[in-house]
Amino acid sequence: MTVSTNPTVGQEMEHPSAPLLRMERIPHVWCPSCGIGTVVKCYATALERSGVDLDKVSVVSGIGCSGRVAGYLKLDGFHTTHGRAIPFATGLKLGRPELLVTVISGDGDLVGIGGNHFIHAARRNLDLLVILINNFIYGMTGGQNAPTTPLGAKSSTMPFGNFETPFNLPHLAASSGASYVARWTCLHIRRLTWSIEEAIGKRGFRFIEAVAPCPTLYARLNKLGSGLDAMRFYHDTAEIRNGADTREVDVSFQSPIICGKFVDEERPTFLDLMHDHYSNRLGDGYVPMPPEGGMLHER
Amino acid sequence: MRYWRDPLDAGQIEAPGGDVHILADRCKGCGFCVEYCPRQVLEMSREFNRKGYHPPEIVDSRACVNCGLCEMICPEFAIFCLELAASTENPSRVLASPGAEAEEAR
């Protein structure tokens, strides 16, 4: 028999990630074998490993299953209206430039309803970390066709199969100007964690797509089994191709998911460009926003 | 862990021991930890938890090497692993050495 030297064994012990979670809200609402919880665990672990000051981290979510992440993490967060996570995060970052602003939301929220905000945030290279949890469908509202649903996959609004060409998200982000683009599945827990940790240490628009199983709608409507079957599918077919051309990483129905870090380049961010521009034009008359914000009160 | 060829320093490397904790009432029975545990420490139990799911149970706690994969992959924050300190109760195990396991079993 193994005997632990930890004095608290035997009593009800709490999970090591508990300091980062609002435990009074756990267990969460996500379905059995949904992958969103795994992505939250990877994000929490990456935060712990990176050693950032948790008072200087904020999480912004939109609407949907993944939109509930901001409510479960014990960090400053905001659960915004549908599709408006990136606009809120933009204001937060510009108002308090010292913060590490993370947007964690779903595919329907970020590239469906909020698609316009997504491409413009990438174009401006805003200093945001965007983690998009992609389950290929609108999960919370009943399985409607999403902008990421692969060709031929069934959804509740496309019972004979989807005929719309879906977005290739890494390519969308990279061609809009994101400075860090990666894609992993829920099975690649270590690589997803390392990737989030690496992105935390970088600047600019950082985009990480995390493919997650949706057992209740996507898998059920397409007869793909449980979330565990989706994990087995990732295990058998997912391919890691770092530095791949993002034009070639689109996902078709039950095709191998190409994972990896596709783009990693340093570019001046929106705030850098704004400071340079106004310093040149206005000289001493330009007072940049202090890192902790609050300039308006002092003047 | 089985290697097709034993590493040269296999005799000197001590595998850490892990202590797996399962918060059974939080589990929703997805089976990710059972499927992906590299040491087959876990198995789905036949018992029900408070919510009516089958949580995992520990079948071979000595095999655990504290890799933490179950903790990372669990979407419910319902399982975690703590490293066992090397002590007399936890005789150090040596990776990939069949003799050590036989000795441990005695």
Side-chain angles (χ1 to χ4, degrees):
Chain A
M1 189 190 142
T2 51
V3 178
S4 174
T5 51
N6 193 319
T8 48
V9 171
Q11 304 161 21
E12 184 67 16
M13 283 189 66
E14 202 35 278
H15 194 275
S17 289
L20 273 161
L21 300 168
R22 295 180 204 270
M23 292 314 287
E24 70 276 11
R25 291 169 149 258
I26 303 281
H28 51 61
V29 298
W30 297 313
C31 306
S33 75
C34 168
I36 299 174
T38 306
V39 180
V40 175
K41 169 69 187 163
C42 291
Y43 176 68
T45 309
L47 273 186
E48 278 170 352
R49 286 165 50 124
S50 68
V52 289
D53 181 2
L54 295 182
D55 289 337
K56 301 280 164 67
V57 180
S58 65
V59 181
V60 184
S61 289
I63 296 297
C65 295
S66 329
R68 303 189 67 95
V69 171
Y72 291 124
L73 284 166
K74 200 189 256 177
L75 300 164
D76 291 341
F78 202 79
H79 191 183
T80 63
T81 46
H82 206 357
R84 312 297 175 234
I86 287 180
F88 185 89
T90 304
L92 195 58
K93 184 68 193 177
L94 299 187
R96 286 195 56 187
E98 63 174 356
L99 293 182
L100 165 69
V101 183
T102 316
V103 176
I104 304 184
S105 206
D107 50 324
D109 183 75
L110 280 176
V111 297
I113 290 88
N116 202 15
H117 305 301
F118 180 84
I119 56 175
H120 287 288
R123 172 182 65 84
R124 290 162 162 167
N125 201 22
L126 269 163
D127 212 351
L128 301 178
L129 168 59
V130 178
I131 300 172
L132 186 150
I133 302 174
N134 186 0
N135 56 9
F136 303 118
I137 209 159
Y138 282 101
M140 184 168 272
T141 49
Q144 289 85 356
N145 211 69
T148 46
T149 308
L151 274 176
K154 287 176 187 158
S155 55
S156 62
T157 48
M158 294 264 195
F160 301 106
N162 174 32
F163 56 84
E164 295 175 14
T165 310
F167 270 136
N168 174 356
L169 295 179
H171 187 49
L172 177 72
S175 53
S176 305
S179 53
Y180 183 95
V181 179
R183 176 201 270 155
W184 302 104
T185 72
C186 273
L187 187 72
H188 298 94
I189 40 175
R190 308 264 186 225
R191 289 184 172 89
L192 178 61
T193 309
W194 294 335
S195 192
I196 296 173
E197 192 185 346
E198 188 184 16
I200 286 172
K202 292 187 178 288
R203 302 171 74 241
F205 190 85
R206 293 146 287 169
F207 172 71
I208 297 171
E209 178 187 354
V211 177
C214 175
T216 308
L217 283 155
Y218 184 72
R220 179 171 61 84
L221 294 172
N222 290 291
K223 300 197 167 36
L224 300 176
S226 66
L228 186 55
D229 293 315
M231 290 293 226
R232 288 186 185 125
F233 170 72
Y234 303 151
H235 184 262
D236 294 342
T237 63
E239 216 177 284
I240 297 176
R241 220 187 282 168
N242 286 313
D245 188 342
T246 51
R247 281 174 296 189
E248 292 159 11
V249 301
D250 52 336
V251 178
S252 10
F253 185 58
Q254 292 298 88
S255 73
I257 294 171
I258 296 164
C259 301
K261 181 172 84 173
F262 305 126
V263 177
D264 184 4
E265 57 186 30
E266 190 83 12
R267 287 202 301 129
T269 65
F270 178 81
L271 275 171
D272 296 344
L273 294 170
M274 189 176 84
H275 290 328
D276 286 354
H277 181 70
Y278 284 129
S279 304
N280 290 338
R281 297 299 294 263
L282 303 175
D284 294 339
Y286 174 60
V287 184
M289 176 68 80
E292 68 285 357
M295 184 178 71
L296 293 174
H297 298 292
E298 287 159 20
R299 297 191 82 189
Chain B
M1 204 175 292
R2 285 198 187 85
Y3 298 102
W4 59 274
R5 177 185 70 80
D6 281 355
L8 294 176
D9 57 351
Q12 294 142 34
I13 294 186
E14 283 182 16
D19 194 7
V20 185
H21 296 258
I22 298 168
L23 306 170
D25 281 340
R26 205 180 282 166
C27 176
K28 290 183 191 161
C30 67
F32 290 177
C33 53
V34 176
E35 175 87 9
Y36 289 106
C37 175
R39 305 278 296 177
Q40 284 83 43
V41 171
L42 302 162
E43 215 168 71
M44 295 309 279
S45 79
R46 296 176 60 84
E47 316 256 306
F48 291 99
N49 68 5
R50 206 163 52 184
K51 287 184 287 198
Y53 297 107
H54 293 290
E57 63 181 359
I58 302 166
V59 289
D60 187 7
S61 62
R62 297 167 71 93
C64 178
V65 289
N66 194 36
C67 70
L69 192 137
C70 53
E71 181 184 326
M72 289 299 293
I73 211 165
C74 176
E76 305 293 329
F77 312 101
I79 187 168
F80 59 96
C81 222
L82 298 173
E83 186 163 358
L84 285 174
S87 65
T88 46
E89 289 96 9
N90 174 38
S92 58
R93 292 167 301 169
V94 176
L95 268 184
S97 154
E101 280 202 21
E103 205 173 284
E104 209 180 15
R106 248 175 253 150

